[in-house]
Amino acid sequence: MKVRVGGLVVTALAVAVALTGGSAAAKSNACGTVTLNEQAWAGSTANTYVVKNVLEKSLGCKVNITKVAEVPVYQAMADGKTDAILEDWGHVPQWNQYVTKQKTVVRAGANGVTGVIGWYIPTYLMKQHPEFKTWKGLKGKETLFKSPESGSQGMFLGGDPSYQQKDKTLIKALGLNLKFVSVGAEPAQVARWEQLYKQKKPVLFYWYDPQYLNATYQLSQIQLPARFKGCLDDEKQGGDPKKYACAYPSYTLLKFMSKKFATSGSPAVGVVKRFSWSNADQNTVAKMIAGDHMNPDQAAQKWIAANKAKVNKWLGK
Amino acid sequence: MAVAEAAGRLAAPPPRRWWRSRTGLVLAIVVGMVIAFFGWRNQLVWPGSFTWNSLSHHLDSFQTWLSNNRNVPHPSVFFRAFNGLANFLDNLVGWLTSLFFKLTWAGTTALGVLVVLRFGGRRAALGTAAAFVSFAAMGLWESSMRTFALTLASVGFSLAIGLPLGVLAGRSNRFQRAITPVLDAMQIIPAFAYLMPIVILFSVGPGAAVVTTLIYAIPPAIRITALGIRGVPTNTVEAATALGATRMQTLLKVQLPLARRMLLLSVNQTILFALSMVVIAGLIGGQGLGDVVTSGLYSNPALAMLAGAAIVIMAIALDRSTEAMAIRTDPAHRHLTEGKQRRLRLYTLGCAVAVGLAVGLGHAFNAGSVWSRWTGQSWLLRQVQSALDFVQNPNTFIFHITNPIGNFIVRYGLEPLRSFFVEVPWPAMTFGLALIAFLLSGLRPAVVTIVMLSVIGVTNEWTSAMDTLSQVLVATVLTMIVGIPLGVWAAESARTRRVMRPILDVLQTLPQLVYIIPFIYLMPVSIVPGVIAGVLYASPVVIRLVEAGVREVSPHSVEAADAFGATRFQTLLKVKIPLAREAIMLGVNQGMIMVLAVVVIGGLVGSGALGYDVAQGLQQSLFGQGVLASLAILALGIALDRVTQGRRRRRLEDLA
């Protein structure tokens, strides 16, 4: 009996030794391991995987991808668990806390994409009602957008809770007879307006660019009042609703790196800093990933192959 | 004693008139509230002078303070301790994950199947093999193993902490009274609310994910274990004591073995609860299948469904194998002879060699890359996508049925109910609910109701809380209507149990967003998807607890009722259900808690109100908003729980 137990132990030990000895030899290169963070939406998948493939193929880096949510990722960078994020939509409190005060995260420039947020309607509706080109045309016609939840008012579909939005106050400020209906996260909101779009019904909703669906559906933006000095966008600040009565600002999307990564001297730092592409580029790759359901690595490689000049600029060539 | 009990219940039904007048009073109060609604609609919202507006800012400052003190070069001992714990958990999960990867698919599958085969039998081993094969066939091997490592760690720690505490709660009434509000809080406060502080204390990664899962998975372990210990007949415990057993001997040799079925349910529920947190764990670096679900929801819903299916398969396989292993190693059934033991040891040695060979083969053929070329993932994705395309098409006959139904329910049912709750004058709501609480459960629950509603008003959450309350009430009532009868049916019929069990497992572990988002395409209105999510998530818990309770009823009582000539239905209604009262009430309590636990998911699919506020609080780093909305959810939970459980608690205290 003891011999058999012993045999079992010996076998287990042998297996264990074989395992520990069998790790692949580390690739000796100047780059090492880089950890990029990817957000849930397709645009973020697009830019993260393009940079990942550039780093892997051209610099021989080993790239890991984390998927931490937009706000906790700053703590992840502060702890060195994530090296860089490639798309930030203006999280000013986090900039103040981690970049300015703690200095654990540093800026890495803009990623070339301009975020546009606004009020959108389907283009077929715009054609039927050309007066909807500006918000003034909505006055008196709000009941066109009625839904079971909005009673006698028209329904305004709010955006994902994680997105910057001020529509509740804006509706009040513009004096429109609309009810702000929050339909939840983006997939849920898309479900709502997609169904109405497919039935060719009227729908008014919060939407933005870059977004891969903009290439699939024809949507038109409603012009909101021009921006004026002192215009507010953060609903949490409260105050006079009239101060919010202006269009959303355009967002220059920014990149951030952990201090640790930025001072590491890795060649990847330069690539991340120089990475920059257009809204159209991001939407193209995002459509391949989310619209055509292509594997993200394949979509990225396809775009890289067709845009060698841009990629070389990032590599500093 | 059992005979007397049964006889008493059959012979003297409670006087009808007393019930009727109480229900009448409750109805009168509701009518009063409705009159108040129509008379003073929207005129008496919670007065601003009674609110503590700056509380939100204070909480935000607290989080900022926490973060600033955490990220200095030399943090204090307090933070270093959390750091140490986080690193330990990170390393543990990381070690498990790299072990699975180093063993390759072939080795891990061989190891898993052979371990289960050795300790659990052929059937469980087959299930385990099918599970491992399905992960690889779906092209989700790596993610599955990360989640598996995380789950093993979470479930292991949950049981290690939960079972002993559950035993303690089962034996000590004082401990149970003390710990119950803590458990309620742990289960009701949405993970979203404390995610940021956890990230600040434990950083991002598997460690933080394990801690988040623990907070959610320990309460069922404690509660069900306690229920099991208390369910052991007191005569048996007395007999053991009379024979001279010490407290430890009574525990180990009498109470635990007799509570075996409940303990197994406890393990089952801990596994399911741990796996239902996989998606949230992904938000803070848990990696694995949770990440695939989250990004899938935005870019590839079919892939999200596959990942969801993988989570469910893992849950079911883990649950069935642990159960099989527990049954096989039951000392009551052990009858190994000397010869059998020797053969078994040789068999184990053979298994170890087989695993070693599998590992070798795996490395030789680089099984990882083989699987990625041969996976059925693209085929599976195409099938799921075409199903989704059908569901998302508004021109199908299904849509023409579901869409009008959904619109009708919201327009004439849920939306008016929501307006009623939000716009009724606050004195009418507060005192109306308190009076109802008094009638149903007594003075203390009525006072608790007033306190909780005041907390909600003072923290400026009145409108959102009333909005959520209207939906939670609908979901809870539906859950009880569905859950209690199904639970009783499952207790009576073994076939129903067999059929229902996998369905319940799926509903408890499949990430809700995966099936609710397609549902929104069929019923594109607010509120309904959130309520459906609540009912589908809460019913399995109610069904299971009711089933376990009714099945546990002493067979002597049933025999006695039989002897008195009761039909099966009479026995069920007058003996079994009343005697299973404690389990049924725990089922009601847990069902309501589960509905509240899903409020945040509801917020993500159109329920708005508190759920939305909590989600937004995390994602836009509005800690104060998230905490206050969560406290409001907790306050609602406590109030509802005390109202439904009030009378029962008093009885338990009388016995103590």
Side-chain angles (χ1 to χ4, degrees):
Chain A
M1 227 193 312
K2 274 217 177 116
V3 173
R4 291 199 172 103
V5 171
L8 175 63
V9 171
V10 165
T11 316
L13 275 175
V15 170
V17 166
L19 290 179
T20 47
S23 57
K27 273 204 203 119
S28 54
N29 53 55
C31 181
T33 311
V34 180
T35 309
L36 298 174
N37 196 68
E38 174 200 342
Q39 292 300 337
W41 57 89
S44 178
T45 312
N47 54 43
T48 309
Y49 273 78
V50 163
V51 172
K52 167 182 182 253
N53 278 276
V54 167
L55 289 177
E56 280 179 341
K57 298 276 163 18
S58 306
L59 291 180
C61 311
K62 181 175 184 317
V63 180
N64 291 331
I65 303 227
T66 55
K67 290 198 192 170
V68 182
E70 275 179 276
V71 169
V73 77
Y74 280 88
Q75 184 64 43
M77 283 193 285
D79 292 326
K81 300 243 171 111
T82 297
D83 292 326
I85 60 174
L86 300 171
E87 179 176 329
D88 181 276
W89 283 70
H91 284 94
V92 177
Q94 276 62 50
W95 300 350
N96 292 337
Q97 201 178 339
Y98 291 90
V99 179
T100 313
K101 184 150 200 304
Q102 296 174 9
K103 303 205 190 333
T104 44
V105 175
V106 297
R107 291 172 197 269
N111 73 2
V113 174
T114 308
V116 168
I117 297 179
W119 291 15
Y120 284 72
I121 55 173
T123 306
Y124 59 75
L125 188 65
M126 187 68 95
K127 290 206 185 109
Q128 290 167 9
H129 293 267
E131 69 270 21
F132 286 165
K133 265 212 183 61
T134 73
W135 68 275
K136 296 212 182 95
L138 289 171
K139 270 202 194 261
K141 301 244 173 73
E142 296 96 334
T143 48
L144 200 58
F145 301 101
K146 261 205 293 194
S147 79
E149 312 103 311
S150 64
S152 56
Q153 298 176 299
M155 174 178 75
F156 179 90
L157 276 178
D160 188 302
S162 66
Y163 295 171
Q164 323 278 36
Q165 47 193 304
K166 59 171 178 177
D167 302 303
K168 243 190 238 169
T169 320
L170 189 52
I171 291 171
K172 220 187 293 180
L174 298 177
L176 292 168
N177 190 21
L178 292 169
K179 185 170 180 192
F180 178 86
V181 177
S182 72
V183 281
E186 184 172 282
Q189 191 218 17
V190 167
R192 290 297 301 269
W193 67 253
E194 252 189 339
Q195 289 299 67
L196 289 167
Y197 185 103
K198 288 179 195 165
Q199 296 172 74
K200 294 277 181 272
K201 290 207 175 130
V203 57
L204 170 64
F205 55 103
Y206 166 108
W207 199 238
Y208 62 98
D209 192 70
Q211 227 287 349
Y212 80 93
L213 284 172
N214 293 339
T216 315
Y217 294 103
Q218 278 77 54
L219 302 171
S220 309
Q221 204 178 353
I222 295 183
Q223 202 180 47
L224 292 167
R227 287 189 71 77
F228 52 82
K229 204 160 172 217
C231 183
L232 293 177
D233 300 304
D234 184 6
E235 270 182 325
K236 290 289 144 194
Q237 288 180 307
D240 181 16
K242 288 271 180 277
K243 288 221 181 92
Y244 292 84
C246 57
Y248 283 88
S250 46
Y251 293 86
T252 310
L253 302 189
L254 298 174
K255 301 171 289 188
F256 287 86
M257 300 187 287
S258 72
K259 185 88 177 275
K260 195 171 109 180
F261 176 64
T263 50
S264 67
S266 164
V269 177
V271 174
V272 169
K273 277 203 177 134
R274 287 186 290 264
F275 168 74
S276 167
W277 65 355
S278 67
N279 282 46
D281 288 323
Q282 184 154 314
N283 275 346
T284 308
V285 182
K287 177 160 189 298
M288 284 196 272
I289 294 174
D292 309 329
H293 300 304
M294 211 187 278
N295 174 284
D297 280 305
Q298 282 174 3
Q301 284 156 18
K302 192 165 167 201
W303 185 89
I304 292 172
N307 289 272
K308 286 246 189 291
K310 245 187 198 169
V311 175
N312 284 339
K313 273 219 194 90
W314 306 340
L315 293 168
K317 293 190 189 150
Chain B
M1 199 191 89
V3 177
E5 259 179 68
R9 280 181 211 286
L10 286 173
R16 279 269 192 98
R17 244 177 286 137
W18 179 62
W19 271 99
R20 209 180 278 153
S21 79
R22 197 160 62 160
T23 317
L25 274 174
V26 170
L27 277 173
I29 295 175
V30 173
V31 166
M33 285 164 72
V34 173
I35 293 175
F37 169 67
F38 283 112
W40 293 274
R41 185 174 175 163
N42 229 349
Q43 283 172 30
L44 279 178
V45 265
W46 188 275
S49 46
F50 284 2
T51 54
W52 186 7
N53 277 317
S54 55
L55 182 56
S56 196
H57 292 296
H58 288 310
L59 288 166
D60 286 332
S61 321
F62 170 68
Q63 186 186 262
T64 313
W65 173 88
L66 207 59
S67 168
N68 287 338
N69 281 293
R70 162 84 162 73
N71 293 328
V72 291
H74 300 285
S76 67
V77 177
F78 178 71
F79 288 111
R80 274 209 301 266
F82 281 110
N83 230 349
L85 182 59
N87 283 335
F88 165 67
L89 290 170
D90 275 343
N91 290 334
L92 178 65
V93 176
W95 180 84
L96 275 172
T97 314
S98 55
L99 174 70
F100 294 141
F101 287 161
K102 289 228 177 82
L103 287 177
T104 78
W105 174 81
T108 318
T109 309
L111 182 63
V113 171
L114 289 171
V115 164
V116 174
L117 182 62
R118 163 71 177 85
F119 292 105
R122 245 172 303 178
R123 207 154 163 217
L126 216 61
T128 315
F132 279 112
V133 167
S134 70
F135 296 148
M138 290 195 277
L140 292 169
W141 174 248
E142 266 196 43
S143 304
S144 302
M145 284 304 102
R146 285 188 204 278
T147 299
F148 188 49
L150 192 69
T151 309
L152 280 181
S154 310
V155 172
F157 283 112
S158 298
L159 291 175
I161 300 174
L163 287 179
L165 285 181
V167 167
L168 189 57
R171 284 153 68 101
S172 155
N173 282 330
R174 211 186 308 161
F175 183 71
Q176 169 124 345
R177 264 204 304 273
I179 207 177
T180 303
V182 176
L183 297 182
D184 283 341
M186 281 164 82
Q187 287 189 288
I188 301 179
I189 295 184
F192 270 71
Y194 49 76
L195 228 45
M196 263 322 282
I198 285 192
V199 165
I200 293 176
L201 290 174
F202 294 93
S203 183
V204 152
V210 169
V211 171
T212 312
T213 312
L214 277 181
I215 297 180
Y216 193 62
I218 288 182
I222 296 179
R223 289 191 133 118
I224 303 179
T225 307
L227 187 67
I229 299 284
R230 283 176 192 277
V232 174
T234 34
N235 347 11
T236 320
V237 175
E238 269 175 43
T241 322
L243 286 168
T246 62
R247 278 179 68 98
M248 194 44 98
Q249 281 174 324
T250 317
L251 175 67
L252 289 177
K253 304 215 177 226
V254 177
Q255 286 179 305
L256 284 182
L258 285 179
R260 202 180 178 83
R261 191 183 284 146
M262 278 297 188
L263 287 178
L264 271 177
L265 180 65
S266 175
V267 172
N268 156 277
Q269 288 296 290
T270 308
I271 293 175
L272 296 183
F273 274 52
L275 276 162
S276 71
M277 286 294 274
V278 165
V279 174
I280 295 186
L283 293 174
I284 50 174
Q287 302 178 320
L289 295 168
D291 285 346
V292 184
V293 171
T294 312
S295 50
L297 285 172
Y298 285 77
S299 351
N300 198 345
L303 188 58
M305 289 216 140
L306 283 188
I311 295 175
V312 171
I313 292 173
M314 189 180 297
I316 295 181
L318 204 54
D319 174 50
R320 302 294 186 270
S321 347
T322 46
E323 186 188 29
M325 291 198 278
I327 292 176
R328 263 287 187 105
T329 54
D330 185 352
H333 300 308
R334 225 191 270 155
H335 42 242
L336 292 173
T337 62
E338 253 295 314
K340 253 196 178 175
Q341 277 190 358
R342 236 180 290 144
R343 256 177 290 152
L344 218 45
R345 294 231 159 91
L346 197 61
Y347 175 70
T348 312
L349 185 63
C351 287
V353 171
V355 171
L357 271 174
V359 173
L361 277 172
H363 277 293
F365 289 101
N366 207 346
S369 67
V370 166
W371 266 118
S372 48
R373 258 182 286 132
W374 287 93
T375 75
Q377 191 186 74
S378 0
W379 180 83
L380 280 167
L381 283 178
R382 274 199 301 273
Q383 308 310 311
V384 180
Q385 189 62 48
S386 37
L388 281 175
D389 287 337
F390 178 75
V391 167
Q392 291 174 359
N393 184 354
N395 297 322
T396 60
F397 73 95
I398 303 182
F399 184 77
H400 289 303
I401 300 175
T402 55
N403 190 27
I405 292 180
N407 290 348
F408 180 84
I409 294 176
V410 170
R411 197 184 307 241
Y412 298 109
L414 294 174
E415 188 57 42
L417 188 68
R418 185 203 269 207
S419 309
F420 170 70
F421 270 85
V422 171
E423 293 166 12
V424 119
W426 72 267
M429 177 61 76
T430 312
F431 293 111
L433 285 182
L435 271 174
I436 293 178
F438 177 68
L439 282 173
L440 289 181
S441 309
L443 183 60
R444 213 187 280 173
V447 171
V448 168
T449 307
I450 295 185
V451 169
M452 288 301 130
L453 288 176
S454 311
V455 165
I456 288 173
V458 164
T459 52
N460 206 9
E461 297 285 344
W462 183 263
T463 320
S464 301
M466 288 300 114
D467 189 341
T468 298
L469 181 61
S470 70
Q471 302 172 37
V472 164
L473 277 179
V474 172
T476 310
V477 166
L478 283 176
T479 304
M480 299 311 149
I481 291 178
V482 166
I484 297 182
L486 279 179
V488 170
W489 188 21
E492 292 292 286
S493 154
R495 202 187 313 162
T496 314
R497 271 201 300 276
R498 262 199 306 272
V499 165
M500 251 202 260
R501 191 173 170 187
I503 301 177
L504 299 183
D505 286 338
V506 169
L507 289 176
Q508 280 196 276
T509 47
L510 187 61
Q512 286 99 343
L513 288 174
V514 164
Y515 60 81
I516 289 294
I517 305 266
F519 180 77
I520 296 180
Y521 281 90
L522 287 174
M523 246 195 227
V525 271
S526 318
I527 312 180
V528 173
V531 167
I532 301 271
V535 173
L536 288 178
Y537 186 64
S539 308
V541 176
V542 177
I543 293 174
R544 287 198 141 120
L545 284 169
V546 169
E547 177 213 320
V550 174
R551 276 178 79 195
E552 291 285 300
V553 165
S554 152
H556 306 295
S557 309
V558 177
E559 262 180 59
D562 246 359
F564 272 94
T567 64
R568 189 154 173 203
F569 194 62
Q570 278 176 322
T571 314
L572 186 62
L573 219 53
K574 301 207 179 229
V575 178
K576 283 194 184 172
I577 293 182
L579 285 179
R581 196 198 176 84
E582 197 159 330
I584 295 180
M585 290 317 274
L586 181 64
V588 169
N589 160 274
Q590 287 293 286
M592 196 197 57
I593 286 182
M594 290 300 106
V595 168
L596 286 168
V598 168
V599 162
V600 177
I601 302 282
L604 291 176
V605 291
S607 299
L610 293 177
Y612 183 88
D613 290 340
V614 173
Q616 192 180 49
L618 167 73
Q619 290 164 313
Q620 297 208 12
S621 194
L622 300 164
F623 183 60
Q625 174 178 309
V627 167
L628 291 182
S630 310
L631 280 180
I633 298 177
L634 180 61
L636 285 178
I638 293 177
L640 283 173
D641 177 60
R642 293 299 172 270
V643 168
T644 53
Q645 304 281 326
R647 260 179 301 125
R648 178 186 83 96
R649 289 262 166 72
R650 258 197 294 146
R651 241 182 246 167
L652 197 64
E653 276 149 33
D654 289 337
L655 291 171

